[in-house]
Amino acid sequence: MAGLEEDGGAEVVIDTLFDPSGAAVMSVSGDLDISNAASLQAAVAAVTAQSPERLIFDLSDLRFMDSAGIAVLIGAAGEVSAVQLRGPSPVVRRVIELTGLTGVLPIES
Amino acid sequence: MDSPAGVVRATASPGGLAAGRIIGDGTVRASTRMGSVWRWRPTRAAGIAFLMGIVVTVALALSSLALYHRNESRLLGLRVRELGLVLTATVPSIQTPLASAAELADATNGSAQKFRVFMAPYVGPGRPFASVSLWPLGSRRHAPVAVVGAKPVLASLPAQAHKFFEHAAHIRTLNVTGILNPAHPSLGYEFSTPGVERGFAAYAENPLPKNRRSKLESNSAFSDLDYALYLGRSRRTADVLVTSLKRLPIKGRQASDVVPFGNSAFTVAVTPRGSLGGSFFQSLPWIIAGFGVLLALAAALLTDRLARRRQHAEQLAGVLDRVATANREMYTEQRSIAQTLQHALLPDALPNFEGLKVSALYVPATSGIDVGGDWYDVVEADGNKVLLLIGDVSGHGLRAATTMASLRHAALAYAAQESSPATVLARLSDFVNRGEHDYFATVLCALIDVNAHRLTVASAGHIAPLLLAGDDANFVEFDVNVPIGVARKSQYLEATVSVPSNATLVAFTDGLVERRGESLDVGLARLRDAAVGQHVALDDLLAKLAADLASEEHHDDTAMVGVQWQD
């Protein structure tokens, strides 16, 4: 949906598609941190405005995520009843574990 | 007074007023346009380029012109010598018949009959002479004894004839005279046999054009020249025999040559009627000048354009630089305001407790204008216990800072009622979740039993603190639950650990360990490595950790709070 390069050099690419089951899948790739979390926030807002039943964050190509990225995911979890993460890397998974959010942001089985 | 007059005029001739308005409008527009033309000034570089172009052009044109003139003069010199050679070649054709006739007359004692017969082929139209006559020398009165062709003009001028023949009697070469009277201008040639007393002179005459003007025939080899032929070696106008020019002396480019002719000489002077080298070479300097000026103009325009682009780029760079400076100043100012606010919201000084030293450190981010929502508190709890709180509100800026203030005061209020960390967090969570909110906060709450060397910890999404004891450094282990502000499905859980003597507990926010592109575990390991084995005062330890971990590029604010048992 949008390729954005923000101040600080971190680059995140966000692609959104709606699969036939009605779930929105947002693929977030690159590095997500405080310098570009706002662009994901905007993309998430555009998706949640359409009230999808499920929102899946495909993080399989996300190398890094900091607490600012977590904040966006938590915000999405508050808006959509079912939010799931797809294929988070160990780095991303660790952030979620350390923040006690494994229950709020479950990993798709 | 003015107003009624104006009305009258307006009613009387609306057309005139309208025209006046149009003219007025036109004038304004014209002056604006003139103004804009007037404002256009070529850049200095363009001016220099144009001047250089003109200088080169002028130099080339001048050298071309000089070359042309030198060439023309050289050609003219060659032509006049050619003309001189042609004239020299005519000497024998005049001298030979006259010399022969003079000898014949001496031999025949002045036979008019023989003289006429001999000279007849040389006289007449298309032949060398117009008139030939035989004159006896030595007599007091000079008159021809035989005449072939027209009557010689000299015969009608006794004084001049006398003088001429008296003089000629002593000269043994071809003798030339110009009879330059206005009525019948003629050129006379005389030859008398050398060494003969009372001999005869053969005299020939050719008329000159009355106004002495004669153009060369257009098919002549010299038709590209104007000329003047003088009798003698000088170029006095009085001595001119024939010329193609209306006015003498010759002006402008000219060349002359002296051609010996009998006892006298002809001086021939020529001037070109056009360009001898061809019209192309004549116009070459102008062609060079024209092209040079055009090239100089083109170079000037090109330079002007380049110079303007450069000026524009420099101006742009200047503007960008100013904007950047202004931005930097604004940024610094904003950041300074936000930092001031945050410092105002954080505790001024932390209390010290018996047997427990307390210290905290706040490290702002190296980039970004927004401050974080990090905070900490260390307060006394019941029964010589100390409650440590550290938190980090998601987001940045004024909003995060004010949210932090609200959370901090709520947490302090709950801590005053309750000393169980899990309960404090639960109440804080309920407090936040009751209202509308769009933030979350990680909070660590630790109850420190100083005397019992015991630590009870609960975490709402917050990273575990580091416990240093002797040469060991370990993160306190506990079950972490969701951050404050996130709907929780379960209770916050506490973990209680025993603390060795002289242990140090360091709680911190994620800015200390979080680095782009690496796992949090790497940052945590870095922190443990930096802290392990550091037997230094608490303040120095925090400063060292900040220097080791937060000195490099980090985007987030960092708060650290440490307690140290003083056993």
Side-chain angles (χ1 to χ4, degrees):
Chain A
M1 191 167 85
L4 293 158
E5 184 149 5
E6 303 279 337
D7 173 51
E11 194 180 342
V12 69
V13 179
I14 303 153
D15 287 305
T16 305
L17 59 88
F18 289 85
D19 74 12
S21 69
V25 180
M26 299 187 76
S27 299
V28 186
S29 51
D31 296 315
L32 180 64
D33 71 5
I34 189 169
S35 69
N36 56 25
S39 57
L40 178 61
Q41 176 67 62
V44 166
V47 170
T48 55
Q50 300 177 50
S51 308
E53 283 176 26
R54 282 202 307 151
L55 174 56
I56 296 165
F57 286 102
D58 187 342
L59 307 181
S60 38
D61 288 324
L62 187 66
R63 289 185 297 264
F64 172 74
M65 179 171 70
D66 73 355
S67 55
I70 290 283
V72 178
L73 300 190
I74 289 171
E79 295 284 328
V80 180
S81 52
V83 169
Q84 286 180 309
L85 306 186
R86 181 177 290 168
S89 67
V91 172
V92 172
R93 197 185 291 237
R94 190 76 178 115
V95 175
I96 289 160
E97 280 171 12
L98 286 171
T99 326
L101 290 167
T102 44
V104 180
L105 300 169
I107 293 162
E108 192 184 44
S109 51
Chain B
M1 285 290 280
D2 286 344
S3 173
V7 169
V8 168
R9 225 182 323 164
T11 2
S13 80
L17 276 184
R21 216 171 293 140
I22 287 165
I23 288 165
D25 188 37
T27 311
V28 168
R29 236 181 291 140
S31 69
T32 310
R33 205 177 302 143
M34 267 183 72
S36 70
V37 167
W38 193 243
R39 269 202 304 278
W40 188 86
R41 282 217 168 80
T43 57
R44 215 177 133 200
I48 290 169
F50 183 70
L51 274 180
M52 280 173 64
I54 290 296
V55 165
V56 169
T57 300
V58 165
L60 280 176
L62 283 180
S63 52
S64 160
L65 195 66
L67 199 67
Y68 166 74
H69 281 305
R70 215 174 65 188
N71 213 29
E72 287 290 298
S73 298
R74 198 175 57 85
L75 281 175
L76 194 63
L78 287 174
R79 299 306 303 279
V80 80
R81 270 201 292 286
E82 273 176 46
L83 197 53
L85 284 174
V86 170
L87 280 175
T88 307
T90 62
V91 174
S93 68
I94 290 166
Q95 183 172 333
T96 308
L98 292 182
S100 303
E103 275 185 28
L104 180 68
D106 280 336
T108 58
N109 199 21
S111 164
Q113 171 67 24
K114 289 222 158 60
F115 178 79
R116 277 196 208 98
V117 169
F118 179 75
M119 284 313 291
Y122 296 97
V123 183
R127 291 173 183 168
F129 309 116
S131 155
V132 177
S133 45
L134 186 64
W135 299 63
L137 297 174
S139 61
R140 292 188 66 86
R141 192 172 164 277
H142 287 93
V145 293
V147 174
V148 185
K151 189 188 174 215
V153 178
L154 195 63
S156 59
L157 300 165
Q160 197 174 339
H162 181 73
K163 195 178 163 195
F164 177 64
F165 286 110
E166 279 298 298
H167 179 66
H170 307 289
I171 292 172
R172 305 296 178 221
T173 60
L174 186 68
N175 211 356
V176 185
T177 184
I179 303 160
L180 303 178
N181 74 12
H184 305 283
S186 300
L187 189 60
Y189 318 96
E190 181 272 357
F191 199 93
S192 50
T193 44
V196 178
E197 288 294 319
R198 302 180 60 83
F200 293 90
Y203 174 76
E205 218 174 69
N206 276 325
L208 295 170
K210 278 199 177 164
N211 54 6
R212 314 233 189 112
R213 286 197 56 217
S214 169
K215 288 211 168 142
L216 286 162
E217 282 170 35
S218 62
N219 60 359
S220 148
F222 301 98
S223 61
D224 52 351
L225 299 173
D226 274 319
Y227 72 97
L229 190 64
Y230 303 84
L231 181 60
R233 289 168 190 276
S234 78
R235 284 173 62 187
R236 285 181 307 171
T237 308
D239 292 335
V240 76
L241 295 174
V242 63
T243 179
S244 63
L245 288 157
K246 281 181 185 166
R247 281 169 205 281
L248 288 173
I250 296 171
K251 294 204 172 72
R253 188 195 313 287
Q254 51 190 283
S256 61
D257 196 17
V258 172
V259 184
F261 205 92
N263 73 323
S264 182
F266 290 134
T267 298
V268 61
V270 293
T271 183
R273 304 182 72 167
S275 173
L276 297 175
S279 58
F280 173 74
F281 290 102
Q282 188 178 20
S283 43
L284 189 61
W286 296 106
I287 292 170
I288 288 174
F291 271 109
V293 168
L294 284 179
L295 279 175
L297 269 176
L301 284 176
L302 190 69
T303 310
D304 192 64
R305 226 172 120 185
L306 290 175
R308 272 174 209 285
R309 276 192 193 166
R310 193 183 144 167
Q311 272 178 4
H312 187 240
E314 281 172 355
Q315 278 168 7
L316 208 62
V319 168
L320 285 177
D321 197 43
R322 280 198 296 282
V323 167
T325 308
N327 256 345
R328 213 160 33 239
E329 282 165 3
M330 269 165 57
Y331 162 93
T332 310
E333 194 183 350
Q334 277 193 28
R335 181 162 181 83
S336 143
I337 290 169
Q339 276 177 1
T340 306
L341 177 66
Q342 178 154 38
H343 287 153
L345 293 173
L346 288 174
D348 289 334
L350 292 171
N352 272 309
F353 302 93
E354 199 185 332
L356 192 75
K357 196 175 170 98
V358 180
S359 183
L361 193 65
Y362 191 89
V363 187
T366 53
S367 66
I369 61 164
D370 292 335
V371 289
D374 298 22
W375 95 89
Y376 53 84
D377 263 312
V378 181
V379 292
E380 190 172 3
D382 292 338
N384 198 25
K385 287 175 185 167
V386 174
L387 200 65
L388 182 151
L389 285 155
I390 186 164
D392 185 359
V393 178
S394 64
H396 289 79
L398 209 54
R399 187 128 176 245
T402 50
T403 301
M404 175 271 269
S406 142
L407 275 183
R408 180 189 166 215
H409 289 112
L412 283 177
Y414 294 127
Q417 298 165 13
E418 272 294 337
S419 54
S420 153
T423 310
V424 170
L425 291 183
R427 291 197 173 168
L428 198 58
S429 173
D430 292 343
F431 163 71
V432 172
N433 287 343
R434 264 202 301 275
E436 276 287 311
H437 64 282
D438 58 358
Y439 63 89
F440 77 96
T442 64
V443 182
L444 178 83
C445 187
L447 184 66
I448 298 156
D449 191 333
V450 183
N451 294 336
H453 285 80
R454 213 167 43 221
L455 187 66
T456 304
V457 189
S459 170
H462 202 91
I463 300 172
L466 183 66
L467 187 61
L468 303 166
D471 287 332
D472 282 342
N474 291 299
F475 290 99
V476 179
E477 290 184 5
F478 48 74
D479 287 327
V480 62
N481 207 333
V482 295
I484 303 294
V486 177
R488 79 191 139 91
K489 293 160 185 162
S490 57
Q491 294 298 310
Y492 285 103
L493 299 174
E494 292 178 349
T496 300
V497 292
S498 292
V499 181
S501 298
N502 294 315
T504 304
L505 181 77
V506 180
F508 52 92
T509 57
D510 56 8
L512 188 66
V513 290
E514 213 169 49
R515 290 291 173 274
R516 181 187 301 161
E518 69 174 30
S519 169
L520 262 180
D521 288 328
V522 176
L524 290 170
R526 188 167 46 233
L527 172 63
R528 186 169 52 206
D529 291 347
V532 76
Q534 296 292 328
H535 302 287
V536 293
L538 183 59
D539 288 344
D540 297 336
L541 177 67
L542 296 189
K544 180 192 168 8
L545 295 180
D548 283 7
L549 281 93
S551 63
E552 52 192 288
E553 179 216 13
H554 62 289
H555 297 297
D556 205 359
D557 287 12
T558 299
M560 276 191 280
V561 59
V563 293
Q564 196 168 47
W565 271 263
Q566 309 285 304
D567 293 317

